[in-house]
Amino acid sequence: MMMLHTYLRSGIVYIPTVAKLTTGAYLDVDPVVVESVANAMGLHRAFLETNARKNPIISPPPKGKWPPPVLLKYARVKSWSAFVAGASMWSIKEADGDYQIVAYRDHPDGYLVADAARTAIFPRTKVDTVIDRIIAILQKAAQRSEI
C-alpha cells in the first residue's frame, strides 16, 4: 500500500515524503515539496515526484526522542497546533491499483482524523487522474478559505 499526505495552508501546498515505520504507522519526513496552490503544473510534478519516492521504511525514533513534525520548518511555525490551526489535510492511498483520496477533519483533542464521509474512491484509475482530482480539491478548498 502507498500513502501520500498533502496539506494546504495559506495558499501553500506541502507534500512531505511519507515514511512507514516498522511499527506500521506513518510519519511525514524530508524531502518535503512546497508549492503554491495556484501552480497546477508544479503541483502535478510534485505529486508525481513524491509518489515515485514510495514510502521508505524506517525505524521509529527512540522513546522520548520523537522529532518535531517536519512541516513546521517549511511553514515557519513553532508548533503542530499552530500549523493545523490554518491547515487542511488529505491523503492519497493506493492498493493494487485502486486509489482513495481521504479528507481529514479536526478532532476535539487537537489532531486531524480521517473523515470517512469525505473519501473519494478511484478503482483501477491512473495516478495522473487521481493527481488531477486532488489538485482540483486543493484549489477549490483554497478558494473557499479566501471568501
Side-chain angles (χ1 to χ4, degrees), residues 8 10 14 17 32 35 41 45 68 84-85 89 94-95 102 106 129 138 142:
L8 172 65
S10 301
Y14 301 86
T17 299
V32 175
E35 186 65 68
M41 287 179 54
R45 183 183 73 260
V84 298
M89 178 187 177
E94 182 274 332
V102 180
D106 294 329
T129 302
L138 289 164

Side-chain angles (χ1 to χ4, degrees), residues 22 25 34 42 47 88 112 123 141:
T22 54
V34 179
F47 278 112
S88 301
L112 299 169

Side-chain angles (χ1 to χ4, degrees), residues 4 13 15 33 35-52 92 126-136 138-139:
L4 190 149
V13 177
I15 309 170
V33 180
E35 186 65 68
S36 168
V37 73
N39 185 354
M41 287 179 54
L43 285 171
H44 195 94
R45 183 183 73 260
F47 278 112
L48 285 175
E49 290 171 2
T50 304
N51 186 52
I92 299 175
K126 293 182 190 279
V127 69
D128 286 309
T129 302
V130 178
I131 290 171
D132 289 343
R133 181 68 184 122
I134 191 72
I135 291 169
L138 289 164
Q139 290 178 334

Side-chain angles (χ1 to χ4, degrees), residues 8-124:
L8 172 65
R9 185 175 189 276
S10 301
I12 303 296
V13 177
Y14 301 86
I15 309 170
T17 299
V18 179
K20 185 172 184 177
L21 302 179
T22 54
T23 59
Y26 291 91
L27 177 66
D28 295 338
V29 298
D30 277 314
V32 175
V33 180
V34 179
E35 186 65 68
S36 168
V37 73
N39 185 354
M41 287 179 54
L43 285 171
H44 195 94
R45 183 183 73 260
F47 278 112
L48 285 175
E49 290 171 2
T50 304
N51 186 52
R53 282 195 286 277
K54 305 289 181 201
N55 298 117
I57 298 173
I58 62 173
S59 296
K63 261 200 186 317
K65 299 203 182 221
W66 202 263
V70 70
L71 296 170
L72 302 185
K73 66 183 175 185
Y74 293 94
R76 297 185 179 110
V77 295
K78 294 188 188 281
S79 69
W80 182 248
S81 59
F83 179 82
V84 298
S88 301
M89 178 187 177
W90 292 264
S91 64
I92 299 175
K93 299 178 183 180
E94 182 274 332
D96 300 321
D98 294 336
Y99 288 88
Q100 292 182 358
I101 296 175
V102 180
Y104 286 71
R105 60 178 169 77
D106 294 329
H107 186 277
D109 291 338
Y111 55 90
L112 299 169
V113 293
D115 186 348
R118 295 175 37 220
T119 297
I121 299 172
F122 301 85
R124 302 286 177 229

